[in-house]
Amino acid sequence: MELSLLVWLLPTLALIVGVGIGFAIARLVPSAVPDSTQRQLDNVQERFDTYQNEVVTHFNSTATLVKKMTQSYQEVQDHLADGANRLALDELTRQRLLAALHSDAHHAPRKHLTPPQGNEPPRDYAPKAPDSPGMLDEHYGLKR
């Protein structure tokens, strides 16, 4: 009976000791891995936040510049209108200058191309006259 107790007790103790050692190693070793992963995650998050701030700053600067450009364009339009009012010699010239200044020529509708009238598909060869020789004729391209 002593032998059978020893056969069961020794593996059981070895199992308990192995589980304890494994548990201790598992508690010590993985703690380094999550810290590294967390640092990497924090680094990526910081880079992403910096990128987002740069994008917001870029678009705010663009909006400011477009606003300035619009104001400058309006100032040029006002200057030209004032010059047309002051410098035009007669009322007809003044009206023509102001009309040209305020016309929306750059907003005029674009001319569209007209589609072909026939329903015939495009050819991959040049058409020939009925009485002229075709490319496969032995006299094609020869001068007489």
Side-chain angles (χ1 to χ4, degrees):
M1 192 158 258
E2 234 178 80
L3 188 59
S4 116
L5 181 63
L6 190 60
V7 168
W8 284 104
L9 186 60
L10 205 53
T12 305
L13 285 175
L15 179 66
I16 291 172
V17 170
V19 168
I21 291 172
F23 183 74
I25 290 175
R27 296 293 284 170
L28 295 175
V29 173
S31 64
V33 174
D35 288 343
S36 172
T37 305
Q38 186 63 38
R39 278 195 304 265
Q40 288 176 346
L41 181 62
D42 291 342
N43 187 16
V44 168
Q45 184 65 40
E46 182 180 336
R47 287 176 40 208
F48 179 70
D49 291 342
T50 303
Y51 174 75
Q52 280 185 322
N53 289 336
E54 288 178 6
V55 168
V56 168
T57 303
H58 168 76
F59 282 110
N60 285 338
S61 300
T62 302
T64 303
L65 291 172
V66 168
K67 185 176 178 182
K68 284 181 184 178
M69 184 175 68
T70 304
Q71 289 172 347
S72 296
Y73 176 76
Q74 186 61 42
E75 289 173 3
V76 168
Q77 286 285 84
D78 293 343
H79 173 73
L80 290 173
D82 184 47
N85 283 330
R86 284 188 301 114
L87 300 174
L89 300 176
D90 59 349
E91 187 62 30
L92 179 64
T93 306
R94 182 177 300 119
Q95 292 301 326
R96 286 177 49 205
L97 286 173
L98 289 174
L101 181 63
H102 294 295
S103 72
D104 291 332
H106 58 281
H107 293 294
R110 295 181 177 171
K111 295 180 182 177
H112 295 285
L113 297 175
T114 56
Q117 297 299 325
N119 289 335
E120 184 179 347
R123 298 178 182 164
D124 60 349
Y125 59 91
K128 67 177 189 73
D131 58 345
S132 65
M135 287 185 75
L136 298 177
D137 188 78
E138 61 184 28
H139 297 295
Y140 178 78
L142 297 177
K143 294 184 180 181
R144 297 182 183 174

